[in-house]
């Protein structure tokens, strides 16, 4: 393959208002060639609105965006030729057979004849739907629909795909299968811009952007985010009498957070003052028995909560 | 440059063909739409052709013969032998006849009062009464017309006989000899079927187009299509073309059924008819597209289609004559493509009219079609752009 130049996406101060409501607020970021870029945020954070501006479905109120080397404002046609898009709401023709959807969208991208048929067959096999090619699309279960939608987005071999919540409402096994496809795609050199609600999925991303109320509040690798946003030591305690002992420990200096976690406790502590052994001792002192404490890696959920906490008033 | 334009056209052709093919596949797979497009127009034409019969004959008539003379029996027989009135029984008196009219058993009663024969014989003014059910004024008029025409002729004959018996020549009289052109038997069906074709095409093209595009918007498929490099214009043409074809097919079907079942003639040039059909479909498809650009979902599109269709059909002159409308309504009908199309079709089919007769209607259709389509396409493209 030829060497690619420049980032896949460059966004500068991208803003979109709906009336007085600011759905996306001066967002800036870059997405590198070949990476899986995760875009995270709660409902209404502005994820879909950002994507819609990047693919030319929605005009930005202000700001610039360059996608696959083309300015979204001046060359929307070039952008469309270079990208694939899977919308949040399933939007293929439910009344057509699986294969007809592929043939239609392939022709819309300018493919034709045997090349188109071969490409459709290849993708059906790749997403594991070759046995269903004659099925009516509307009869497919959720996971298969999403894989078909992905196949439709890949027909013209785009170097960059936008997947807007591709696994929403899909069962865990199907989610796992879908992410296998995404990672395979990225290994093949395709840049993937993906939004999700599921924090476990976000771990698969090389970098993550966190959206809160239209603003991009954090952007880093998963490990980097954890270092920055969860500097505390995260510990998990198990034993008897923790329900009573935990809250007693809650006010102690150096203990930042105590929360029930299954039958045990989840603690965030100042690493300068506490480690697993000291926390175990403190819990025993507070009345718990048979205490075992282990250090746990912070999750993206911890990051997300810390970010939202900060946004709600406190500082990190 | 030429390589570039070649690539442009080959991509355009592929995209157009893809949309056309997809639209056809979807239409064929949807049984309800197929019924709406082909079976419904057929059934409706047949039903309208038979049911919307403005010809009035066989008005059920009861007879009250209180004279009971040879004369009264003769006149009753002759009058009822004409197909206009149909003998529906004989009753004894006027109250019973009124009862039959009340019950709907008869729409007219013919009453010969006692002394009819002797009055006629003795040259006294004779009286025949007719009771009419006026709830259908058209039918009442026809029935009373038939009775007065018959007795008018009887009276004339009596005068002539008496003058001749007195040795005097009968006076010259005006004799009306009507000759009806184009639809000599004055049947309703040949008049109504071309108009019905026009109204059915509105359903097939306007409603189906508006709903089809609204469905794409509602289902999100429009958005998925819009992120492909397909051009809005090819998308549009590919989507409208199948319905143009179905519309043309429906016209041919209706004309064939009309001529086969209702003796609708085909006197004029097919070319003029084809031009009329194309211009008409252009405007009905344009209206459908326009409605779809104004609707967010299928429900709104359906409502919009109906809001257009109802007045378009009522003000087309197909069901009620335009000349009977108030002046301002008549003016509005100039903007109604259904009206012009019905006139073109009747002209071509019944009168054998050509371009010279129909240029005005065709020009109106062209102006309406181009105007509506341009507006709709402009709206469609800004919405997609
Ligand atoms: N066309 C529109 N008109 C008005 N408001 C809109 C429009 N589109 C989106 N919004 C609003 O903008 C905000 C951001 O919406 P967006 O769809 O981008 O959120 P999201 O992050 O994708 O959320 P979700 O996880 O629910 O998909 C929401 O409050 C939404 O109501
Ligand atoms: Mg969204």
């Amino acid at each position: 393959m030829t060497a690619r130049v420049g980032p896949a996406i460059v966004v500068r101060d991208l803003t979109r208002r709906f009336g007085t409501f600011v759905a996306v607020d001066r967002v800036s970021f870059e997405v590198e060639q070949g990476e899986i870029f995760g875009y995270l945020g709660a409902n209404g954070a502005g994820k879909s609105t950002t994507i819609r501006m990047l693919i030319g479905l929605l005009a930005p109120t202000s700001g610039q965006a360059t996608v696959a080397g083309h300015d979204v404002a001046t060359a929307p046609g070039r952008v469309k030729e270079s990208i694939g898009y899977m919308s949040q709401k399933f939007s293929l023709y439910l009344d057509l057979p699986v294969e007809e959807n592929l043939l239609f969208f392939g022709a819309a991208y300018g493919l034709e004849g045997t090349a188109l048929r071969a490409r459709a067959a290849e993708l059906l096999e790749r997403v594991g739907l070759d046995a269903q090619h004659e099925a009516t699309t509307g009869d497919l279960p959720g996971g298969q629909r999403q894989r078909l939608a992905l196949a439709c987005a890949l027909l013209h071999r785009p170097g960059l795909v936008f997947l807007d919540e591709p696994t929403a409402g899909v069962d865990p096994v199907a989610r796992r299968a879908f992410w296998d496809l995404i990672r395979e795609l990225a290994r093949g050199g395709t840049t993937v811009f993906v939004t999700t609600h599921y924090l476990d999925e976000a771990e698969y991303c090389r970098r993550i952007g966190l959206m809160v109320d239209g603003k991009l509040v954090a952007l880093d690798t998963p490990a980097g985010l954890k270092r920055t946003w969860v500097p505390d030591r995260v510990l998990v305690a198990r034993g008897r009498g923790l329900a009573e002992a935990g809250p007693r420990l809650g006010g102690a200096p150096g203990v930042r957070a105590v929360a029930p976690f299954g039958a045990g406790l989840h603690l965030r502590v100042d690493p300068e003052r506490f480690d697993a052994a000291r926390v175990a001792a403190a819990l025993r002192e507070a009345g718990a028995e048979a205490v075992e404490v282990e250090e746990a890696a912070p999750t993206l959920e911890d990051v997300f909560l810390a970010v939202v906490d900060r946004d709600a008033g406190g500082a990190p | 440059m030429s390589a570039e334009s070649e690539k442009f056209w080959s991509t355009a052709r592929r995209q157009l063909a893809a949309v056309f093919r997809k639209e056809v596949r979807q239409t064929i797979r949807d049984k309800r739409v197929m019924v709406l497009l082909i079976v419904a127009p057929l059934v409706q034409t047949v039903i309208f052709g038979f049911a919307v019969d403005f010809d009035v004959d066989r008005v059920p008539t009861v007879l009250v013969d209180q004279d009971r003379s040879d004369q009264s029996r003769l006149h009753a027989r002759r009058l009822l032998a004409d197909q206009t009135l149909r003998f529906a029984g004989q009753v004894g008196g006027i109250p019973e006849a009124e009862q039959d009219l009340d019950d709907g058993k008869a729409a007219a009663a013919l009453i010969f009062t006692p002394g009819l024969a002797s009055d006629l014989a003795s040259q006294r003014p004779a009286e025949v009464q007719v009771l009419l059910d006026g709830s259908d004024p058209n039918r009442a008029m026809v029935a009373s017309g038939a009775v007065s025409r018959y007795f008018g002729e009887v009276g004339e004959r009596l005068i002539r006989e008496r003058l001749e018996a007195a040795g005097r020549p009968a006076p010259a009289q005006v004799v009306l000899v009507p000759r009806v052109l184009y639809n000599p038997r004055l049947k309703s069906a040949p008049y109504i079927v071309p108009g019905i074709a026009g109204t059915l095409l509105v359903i097939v093209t306007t409603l189906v187009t508006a709903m089809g595009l609204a469905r794409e918007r509602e289902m999100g498929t429009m958005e998925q299509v819009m992120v492909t490099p397909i051009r809005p214009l090819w998308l549009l043409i590919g989507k409208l073309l199948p319905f143009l074809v179905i519309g043309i097919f429906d016209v041919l079907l209706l004309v064939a059924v009309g001529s086969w079942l209702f003796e609708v003639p085909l006197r004029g040039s097919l070319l003029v008819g084809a031009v009329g059909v194309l211009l008409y479909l252009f405007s009905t498809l344009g209206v459908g597209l326009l409605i779809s650009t104004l609707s967010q979902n299928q429900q709104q599109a359906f409502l919009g289609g109906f809001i257009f269709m109802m007045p378009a059909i009522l003000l087309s002159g197909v069901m009620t004559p335009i000349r009977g409308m108030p002046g301002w309504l008549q003016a509005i009908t100039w903007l109604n493509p259904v009206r012009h199309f019905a006139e073109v079709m009747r002209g071509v089919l019944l009168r054998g009219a050509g371009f010279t007769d129909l240029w005005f209607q065709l020009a109106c259709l062209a102006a309406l079609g181009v105007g509506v389509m341009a507006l709709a396409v402009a709206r469609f493209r800004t919405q997609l752009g």
Side-chain angles (χ1 to χ4, degrees):
Chain A
M1 290 230 84
T2 51
R4 300 167 197 226
V5 281
I9 304 175
V10 181
V11 174
R12 289 274 167 269
D13 293 325
L14 197 63
T15 301
R16 174 69 204 205
R17 295 169 192 275
F18 294 110
T20 55
F21 176 74
V22 188
V24 174
D25 192 0
R26 282 168 292 143
V27 165
S28 301
F29 61 84
E30 291 189 1
V31 175
E32 287 160 27
Q33 296 283 357
E35 75 172 326
I36 301 180
F37 185 90
Y39 208 52
L40 262 65
N43 285 334
K47 305 181 295 292
S48 299
T49 305
T50 306
I51 291 189
R52 291 165 60 79
M53 286 191 282
L54 295 183
I55 62 179
L57 281 178
L58 195 66
T61 308
S62 63
Q64 291 96 47
T66 309
V67 173
H70 307 291
D71 190 320
V72 171
T74 57
R78 283 288 155 78
V79 171
K80 287 177 183 177
E81 285 166 13
S82 322
I83 59 149
Y85 168 59
M86 211 180 127
S87 86
Q88 179 169 357
K89 179 173 174 285
F90 183 78
S91 50
L92 303 182
Y93 295 96
L94 295 174
D95 50 344
L96 285 181
V98 165
E99 192 174 28
E100 287 289 330
N101 267 305
L102 285 167
L103 295 180
F104 170 68
F105 284 103
Y109 281 109
L111 303 175
E112 192 182 34
T114 48
L116 171 57
R117 287 183 180 278
R119 179 72 179 148
E122 175 195 334
L123 281 167
L124 278 175
E125 199 197 317
R126 182 144 144 219
V127 302
L129 289 174
D130 31 355
Q132 280 87 355
H133 72 281
E134 282 183 333
T136 300
T137 304
D139 295 340
L140 296 184
Q144 294 188 0
R145 282 189 193 187
Q146 297 304 88
R147 299 208 306 266
L148 175 61
L150 180 65
C152 275
L154 298 177
L155 278 158
H156 56 302
R157 302 176 200 275
L160 167 61
V161 290
F162 290 88
L163 312 177
D164 196 355
E165 297 198 24
T167 54
V170 170
D171 70 74
V173 178
R175 269 172 58 197
R176 167 66 63 84
F178 197 90
W179 269 93
D180 286 345
L181 287 170
I182 293 180
R183 294 198 296 170
E184 193 186 308
L185 204 58
R187 274 199 298 277
T190 306
T191 311
V192 180
F193 185 109
V194 57
T195 74
T196 181
H197 274 311
Y198 298 108
L199 294 163
D200 58 332
E201 290 182 346
E203 299 274 1
Y204 295 127
C205 301
R206 201 180 79 80
R207 288 193 308 147
I208 294 169
L210 266 177
M211 288 287 284
V212 177
D213 295 337
K215 292 193 182 69
L216 184 66
V217 295
L219 188 141
D220 206 340
T221 59
L225 283 174
K226 288 168 192 170
R227 270 198 306 278
T228 321
W229 289 90
V230 196
D232 310 336
R233 182 164 278 161
V234 179
L235 301 167
V236 176
R238 288 190 188 77
R240 285 197 300 275
L242 289 175
E244 295 78 37
R248 273 179 222 140
L249 207 65
V255 178
R256 300 231 166 97
V258 181
F261 181 77
L265 278 184
H266 204 140
L267 300 104
R268 269 179 25 218
V269 295
D270 182 348
E272 304 284 306
R273 297 196 189 201
F274 280 103
D275 61 13
R278 284 202 202 149
V279 166
L283 282 170
R284 273 185 217 106
E285 219 165 276
E289 288 167 25
V291 180
E292 273 177 49
V293 178
E294 269 176 24
E295 193 155 345
T299 61
L300 281 173
E301 196 163 342
D302 298 317
V303 173
F304 197 71
L305 292 175
V307 170
V308 174
D309 271 356
R310 199 272 320 244
D311 242 64
Chain B
M1 184 59 220
S2 109
E4 192 133 296
S5 80
E6 199 167 293
K7 180 165 178 285
F8 172 85
W9 286 112
S10 88
T11 309
R13 181 182 51 72
R14 284 174 206 189
Q15 293 176 339
L16 208 153
V19 179
F20 181 84
R21 183 187 139 97
K22 183 220 83 184
E23 207 64 34
V24 169
R25 291 287 308 231
Q26 277 184 303
T27 308
I28 289 175
R29 287 173 65 88
D30 192 338
K31 302 273 183 308
R32 289 166 310 166
V33 173
M34 286 311 277
V35 167
L36 186 68
L37 293 182
I38 293 176
V39 182
L42 202 57
V43 170
Q44 292 191 33
T45 305
V46 172
I47 290 176
F48 272 115
F50 282 119
V52 184
D53 198 348
F54 297 144
D55 311 341
V56 178
D57 54 9
R58 309 182 62 75
V59 180
T61 307
V62 288
L63 179 65
V64 182
D65 185 0
Q66 297 171 330
D67 191 44
R68 296 171 187 285
S69 59
D70 289 344
Q71 279 278 321
S72 67
R73 274 190 287 274
L74 174 75
H75 289 311
R77 205 170 53 242
R78 285 202 184 144
L79 191 46
L80 293 170
D82 179 9
Q83 286 296 303
T84 313
L85 302 181
R86 176 174 61 83
F87 181 62
Q90 184 159 4
V91 293
I94 295 176
E96 290 96 318
E98 280 177 347
Q99 188 60 46
D100 279 357
L101 256 67
D102 264 358
D103 298 343
K105 282 184 199 140
L110 187 62
I111 297 152
F112 296 148
T113 44
L116 177 71
S118 59
D119 282 348
L120 284 172
S122 63
Q123 313 202 2
R124 277 194 298 271
E127 198 182 76
V128 172
Q129 289 180 19
V130 187
L131 282 179
L132 293 167
D133 172 3
S135 55
D136 181 344
N138 193 18
R139 193 169 56 170
M141 293 264 292
V142 168
S144 94
V147 176
S148 54
R149 195 169 55 244
Y150 175 78
F151 283 106
E153 284 166 13
V154 169
E156 226 170 69
R157 205 171 53 240
L158 283 174
I159 292 170
R160 193 190 312 259
E161 282 168 13
R162 284 182 192 147
L163 287 172
E164 276 167 9
R168 288 202 267 153
Q173 27 177 308
V174 178
V175 180
L176 180 67
V177 186
R179 187 165 78 87
V180 180
L181 300 175
Y182 312 129
N183 183 6
R185 288 159 61 201
L186 284 178
K187 301 299 278 180
S188 297
Y191 178 81
I192 196 141
V193 166
I196 294 293
T199 66
L200 290 175
L201 283 183
V202 181
I203 300 176
V204 170
T205 53
T206 305
L207 205 59
V208 171
T209 308
M211 301 253 311
L213 279 157
R215 181 172 66 167
E216 296 240 10
R217 203 177 303 256
E218 191 179 332
M219 302 297 287
T221 49
M222 188 65 94
E223 186 175 301
Q224 194 68 48
V225 173
M226 275 157 54
V227 299
T228 71
I230 210 164
R231 286 179 178 253
L233 197 61
W234 306 143
L235 173 64
L236 203 59
I237 295 174
K239 281 195 79 75
L240 295 185
L241 215 51
F243 298 101
L244 183 70
V245 173
I246 292 173
I248 292 170
F249 173 78
D250 277 339
V251 173
L252 294 176
L253 190 70
L254 297 189
V255 169
V257 168
S259 82
W260 178 53
L261 275 184
F262 304 114
E263 296 165 47
V264 177
L266 208 174
R267 295 209 171 85
S269 118
L270 276 180
L271 178 67
V272 180
V275 170
V277 169
L278 281 179
L279 291 176
Y280 178 60
L281 289 175
F282 205 65
S283 58
T284 56
L285 289 170
V287 172
L289 181 62
L290 190 62
I291 290 170
S292 84
T293 64
L294 297 167
S295 335
Q296 295 302 318
N297 51 45
Q298 294 184 78
Q299 205 180 348
Q300 287 178 8
F302 187 74
L303 206 67
F306 246 84
I307 289 171
F308 166 75
M309 260 164 54
M310 290 314 284
I313 291 174
L314 288 175
L315 298 181
S316 65
V318 173
M319 303 292 179
T320 48
I322 289 173
R323 248 161 303 165
M325 297 172 190
W328 60 274
L329 259 187
Q330 290 195 28
I332 291 178
T333 64
W334 292 112
L335 295 173
N336 185 359
V338 187
R339 172 201 172 147
H340 300 299
F341 177 72
E343 287 177 2
V344 169
M345 287 303 276
R346 282 199 295 259
V348 170
L349 296 176
L350 306 186
R351 287 192 282 125
F355 282 118
T356 39
D357 300 304
L358 296 171
W359 68 268
F360 179 73
Q361 283 87 344
L362 291 173
C364 285
L365 280 178
L368 286 168
V370 170
V372 170
M373 192 56 101
L375 184 62
V377 170
R379 276 192 62 91
F380 184 78
R381 291 176 74 159
T382 50
Q383 279 182 357
L384 290 202

